[in-house]
Amino acid sequence: MIYFTLPLLPLPLSQCFVNSKRGRKSIRIASYSYKAWKQEVDLHIKMNVTHDFFERHRASLDGDVRVTFNIERVDRRRRDLDNTLKCLGDTLTRNGILRDDSQIVDLRVRWVKKGQGAPVRIEIAPAIE
């Protein structure tokens, strides 16, 4: 199993995209806050999660995987945990950790208490058949 952390909480899906008009068509584009979040998280991964680390584990990440996202609950506001998945799944593929998020065949997402580590801890392991 491999694991790493992210310094920022994932944005809910409702904050990731906005509607825009192109001529008569309405399209969805990434919001400024999502672009900023991606830039900071990608830089963190590049600086703190070394490429060599993933190269050593590449064989175990080529097939189906199980992933656990542990997300820190920072306050008592009601939030939908499943709305954070798009942000996190795209981060794994965008940074070359997984080829495609369709490799995830076993997924667990859970809240953890504040103060138990980084805002997000991601664990990836080969899928058990």
Side-chain angles (χ1 to χ4, degrees), residues 6 11-12 20 22 28 30 35 49 52 58 63-64 69-72 82 87 89 91 93 103-104 115 119 122 127:
L6 299 179
L11 296 176
S20 180
R22 292 255 168 98
R28 304 267 296 157
K35 289 176 185 178
V49 184
D52 293 338
R58 178 62 50 210
D64 292 344
F69 296 117
N70 297 295
I71 304 170
E72 193 173 76
D82 62 332
C87 218
T91 297
T93 56
Q103 289 176 255
I104 302 171
I122 299 172

Side-chain angles (χ1 to χ4, degrees), residues 35-93:
K35 289 176 185 178
W37 184 89
K38 288 192 306 185
Q39 186 175 10
E40 190 163 341
V41 166
D42 292 353
L43 181 62
H44 172 80
I45 290 173
K46 184 178 183 179
M47 300 294 285
N48 297 298
V49 184
T50 66
H51 182 70
D52 293 338
F53 175 77
F54 288 110
E55 285 306 312
R56 285 194 307 262
H57 297 285
R58 178 62 50 210
S60 65
L61 299 177
D62 277 342
D64 292 344
V65 296
R66 62 181 180 179
V67 176
T68 302
F69 296 117
N70 297 295
I71 304 170
E72 193 173 76
R73 180 171 274 191
V74 295
D75 55 33
R76 293 188 169 273
R77 285 187 285 172
R78 292 180 62 143
R79 293 187 171 97
D80 288 343
L81 192 56
D82 62 332
N83 282 337
T84 63
L85 294 175
K86 177 73 174 155
C87 218
L88 294 171
D90 288 350
T91 297
L92 296 179
T93 56

Side-chain angles (χ1 to χ4, degrees), residues 6-46:
L6 299 179
L8 300 171
L9 289 171
L11 296 176
L13 188 58
S14 62
Q15 292 180 18
C16 292
F17 300 96
V18 294
N19 292 324
S20 180
K21 288 253 183 193
R22 292 255 168 98
R24 292 183 181 194
K25 289 187 177 183
S26 181
I27 60 170
R28 304 267 296 157
I29 59 172
S31 67
Y32 291 115
S33 58
Y34 186 39
K35 289 176 185 178
W37 184 89
K38 288 192 306 185
Q39 186 175 10
E40 190 163 341
V41 166
D42 292 353
L43 181 62
H44 172 80
I45 290 173
K46 184 178 183 179

